[in-house]
Amino acid sequence: PVYDTDISGETDNADLLTDFLMEIDIDTGKAGASCPDFPKGDNTVLVPGMENTLLSYDRTALSSYDLTSRTGQVLFDWLDYGINGSRVEAVHVQEDGRLLVVIRDLAEGSGELALLKKTDSPDASSPQQAAGN
């Protein structure tokens, strides 16, 4: 299936007006099943995740959506990592699962890279301790 977030034109499927993400049949051009439980946000950006998932991010949080189980979850809020989400320009998933986050401050003309990794360590009692390389 193909997933699309840009739905335009007339349709007889009223779900197109309320669903953020749905399957599109390429052969017929018709909308198929919607993806329920997809984390919605403000100006959401989609990027490929690991193992049949999509990551979505907006100015407040990073979320994950499992395309197989059709379940979504908020992974974390940007501010929990000391990141101003409105300055996140891009998120890229590395082969090892770490997240490379491009942060740009247009007003100051500066930028940063944040490398975040998931950890199950008991030492990671706060998101700041889990961030890093």
Side-chain angles (χ1 to χ4, degrees), residues 9 11 15 22 33 35 48 51 56 61 63 91 103 106 108 116 120-121 128-129 132:
T11 179
D15 290 337
M22 64 183 48
C35 298
E51 302 174 14
S56 65
S63 301
V91 173
I103 305 160
L106 296 176
E108 293 184 17
L116 307 176
D120 294 325
S121 168
Q128 265 72 16
Q129 291 173 338

Side-chain angles (χ1 to χ4, degrees), residues 90-104:
V91 173
H92 176 72
V93 180
Q94 304 282 285
E95 287 182 14
D96 62 3
R98 293 180 300 167
L99 301 174
L100 180 64
V101 182
V102 178
I103 305 160
R104 185 164 295 204

Side-chain angles (χ1 to χ4, degrees), residues 23-37:
E23 294 182 17
I24 304 294
D25 184 323
I26 292 197
D27 295 328
T28 65
K30 299 225 180 228
S34 66
C35 298
D37 196 31

Side-chain angles (χ1 to χ4, degrees), residues 26-122:
I26 292 197
D27 295 328
T28 65
K30 299 225 180 228
S34 66
C35 298
D37 196 31
F38 189 84
K40 295 178 182 147
D42 179 29
N43 294 321
T44 301
V45 178
L46 299 175
V47 294
M50 300 284 288
E51 302 174 14
N52 209 30
T53 63
L54 284 176
L55 293 180
S56 65
Y57 65 93
D58 63 7
R59 61 186 175 90
T60 61
L62 179 76
S63 301
S64 176
Y65 187 81
D66 186 304
L67 296 167
T68 303
S69 67
R70 293 179 175 248
T71 56
Q73 66 176 340
V74 175
L75 298 176
F76 59 82
D77 290 336
W78 291 116
L79 289 177
D80 290 344
Y81 286 87
I83 297 172
N84 180 340
S86 62
R87 295 181 178 164
V88 172
E89 187 169 292
V91 173
H92 176 72
V93 180
Q94 304 282 285
E95 287 182 14
D96 62 3
R98 293 180 300 167
L99 301 174
L100 180 64
V101 182
V102 178
I103 305 160
R104 185 164 295 204
D105 185 340
L106 296 176
E108 293 184 17
S110 63
E112 296 178 289
L113 294 176
L115 190 58
L116 307 176
K117 69 178 179 179
K118 182 178 180 179
T119 179
D120 294 325
S121 168

